[in-house]
Amino acid sequence: MDPAANLEQKGSRPLGGTEHSWCRAVPGGTGITVLAMLFTKDPGAARLQNALHELQKSHPILRSRITRDNTNTFFFAVSPIPLLQIQSYDISTTSQLLQSLAEGGDPNIGRISPFHRIIEHELNQNPWSDQSETDVLFACVYTLTDSKWVVALRLHTAVCDRTSAVYMLKELLGLVRRRGGGGGGGGGGGVGEEQEKETEEFSLGIEQLIPSGKANKPFWARGVDLLGYTLNALRFANLEFKDVTSPRSSQVIRLQMNQDETDRILMECKVRGIKLCGAIAAAGLIAANCMKHLPDHQWEKYAIITLIDCRKLLDPPLQSHNIGFYHSAIVNTHDIKEGQELWELASRCYASFRDSINANKHFTDMADLHLLMNKAIDNPGLTPHSSLRTSFISVFEDPVIDDQHTQLHQWMGLEDYMGCSSVHGVGPSIAIFDTIHNGRLDFTCVYPSPLHSREQMQELIDTMKRILVGNGGD
């Protein structure tokens, strides 16, 4: 018998509402999460595969498949043993792939690095497109040269939010070090027995862990909010759409700042008592408005989605090693016109977000937002030009902070890494994944192409940087 067909039912469970929404979204192209690592030392496919198997043993959700029963209910069906097989590409095959990507019609793809191109390629590989029973985790090793390799993990977002991806990176590197033996350096090494015991349970979905009473909303209030979200969505402003008919894919632009620029921006946030997410969102709105060259008196309404890691807010609270999707979303709208000042708008964006949090909207509106997302998936014509855009920009409440270039990274030859998710189905025009690497801001910005062009989004990102840096403490 095919061992892949022998899925244990013990520990398997139906998907929660948030996870089910991702299962609806991923076939259309939103919710493919990629964690890519660039190495200057051969990571060893066999060693990596063994480490990934250890990771799957510790976290059952990573060795599950998403399947459906005859009532169309989605389940995580857990395999009793890890079944992942790494797909390896030698120099020749990788070179052929990169060449084919260069011939794909994007005139600017030659300006981005092979590492960047592979990330975009992985974001657009969709084994879940037909919603058949499929693993939630895939892994590839690409050999760029005799001294450079890319390791890419591709996951269904229903099992991996940004916190999970960050934890997986750290844990995987530690496990590889342990299996590699020796080496020069510390930095930890994988999951201890106590933590393995903690994580061997199959965690519930976020809806089952919301504290009692926190998600309550009167029936009529829910109806009014749904109507409000729907009517507001019809008035949301967007960047100009370049091509609304061609098949879509996700593309990436990276924005990096130096330490001085980063320090100035973070200091301005601290002085005003706001988080970085407010400044990023405000810079995005101002940049979008500037690109339209509207009359000074004309106002436009933009939507911002802010994603919150709810782990510490749940009952019982979860930790970063509880792998799954435990983020919630807050939608806020802001009216913008020419001449907006960055920090005034950033403070306004953050105040609206905090008011929503204080009103428990990250819990009370969770089901409403999922319903609206599913309605957009089923009826794209309800969105402008059938674009499936639900907001202009999405940001995270807090950045990932990676302030140690550890000896472990040096020992393994880890030169760079990026993590993000696809957005070319339902979603924002631009999704910002922000990290602070060794005191420097690093933004991975994902957008749907050719709905938006690379030139257009590069202009947007460059304008955002000028706004942030130009106002960052002058």
Side-chain angles (χ1 to χ4, degrees), residues 397-417:
E397 178 184 12
D398 296 301
V400 171
I401 298 177
D402 176 13
D403 55 7
Q404 292 185 342
H405 186 69
T406 64
Q407 287 180 307
L408 174 61
H409 289 189
Q410 296 172 1
W411 178 82
M412 292 192 65
L414 179 62
E415 183 176 282
D416 196 6
Y417 64 88

Side-chain angles (χ1 to χ4, degrees), residues 252-440:
V252 176
I253 291 175
R254 195 172 189 183
L255 167 62
Q256 295 174 298
M257 297 190 182
N258 62 37
Q259 189 159 355
D260 178 62
E261 293 166 340
T262 301
D263 289 344
R264 292 165 62 198
I265 293 167
L266 296 180
M267 180 57 68
E268 287 294 324
C269 291
K270 183 177 180 180
V271 166
R272 289 166 173 79
I274 66 174
K275 290 190 175 183
L276 178 63
C277 60
I280 297 171
L285 299 188
I286 294 172
N289 192 261
C290 288
M291 288 173 63
K292 292 187 171 184
H293 306 291
L294 299 172
D296 290 349
H297 64 275
Q298 184 169 333
W299 293 82
E300 289 199 306
K301 184 181 293 292
Y302 290 89
I304 301 167
I305 291 178
T306 307
L307 295 163
I308 310 109
D309 184 357
C310 293
R311 282 172 172 78
K312 299 294 178 63
L313 307 176
L314 301 176
D315 184 20
L318 301 182
Q319 305 300 319
S320 59
H321 64 72
N322 294 113
I323 289 179
F325 193 91
Y326 295 105
H327 277 63
S328 185
I330 293 287
V331 179
N332 293 117
T333 61
H334 293 277
D335 294 322
I336 307 297
K337 71 171 183 176
E338 186 71 23
Q340 294 275 186
E341 195 275 326
L342 172 65
W343 293 108
E344 182 278 327
L345 181 56
S347 297
R348 178 153 53 101
C349 289
Y350 186 69
S352 297
F353 167 70
R354 287 309 310 170
D355 288 346
S356 297
I357 291 288
N358 292 336
N360 286 321
K361 283 186 170 291
H362 50 304
F363 291 142
T364 62
D365 290 15
M366 188 181 292
D368 300 346
L369 295 178
H370 292 158
L371 174 62
L372 291 170
M373 185 175 81
N374 290 330
K375 287 294 184 183
I377 292 170
D378 292 335
N379 304 280
L382 296 176
T383 61
H385 301 286
S386 298
S387 63
L388 287 172
R389 293 313 100 194
T390 55
S391 68
F392 163 64
I393 192 170
S394 69
V395 296
F396 286 86
E397 178 184 12
D398 296 301
V400 171
I401 298 177
D402 176 13
D403 55 7
Q404 292 185 342
H405 186 69
T406 64
Q407 287 180 307
L408 174 61
H409 289 189
Q410 296 172 1
W411 178 82
M412 292 192 65
L414 179 62
E415 183 176 282
D416 196 6
Y417 64 88
M418 294 169 65
C420 54
S421 297
S422 62
V423 297
H424 56 277
V426 65
S429 282
I430 185 164
I432 309 290
F433 299 81
D434 54 334
T435 303
I436 299 177
H437 287 297
N438 298 315
R440 297 174 175 85

Side-chain angles (χ1 to χ4, degrees), residues 180-199:
V191 193
E193 291 182 7
E194 181 178 348
Q195 188 166 297
E196 283 192 16
K197 190 173 183 179
E198 286 179 22
T199 58

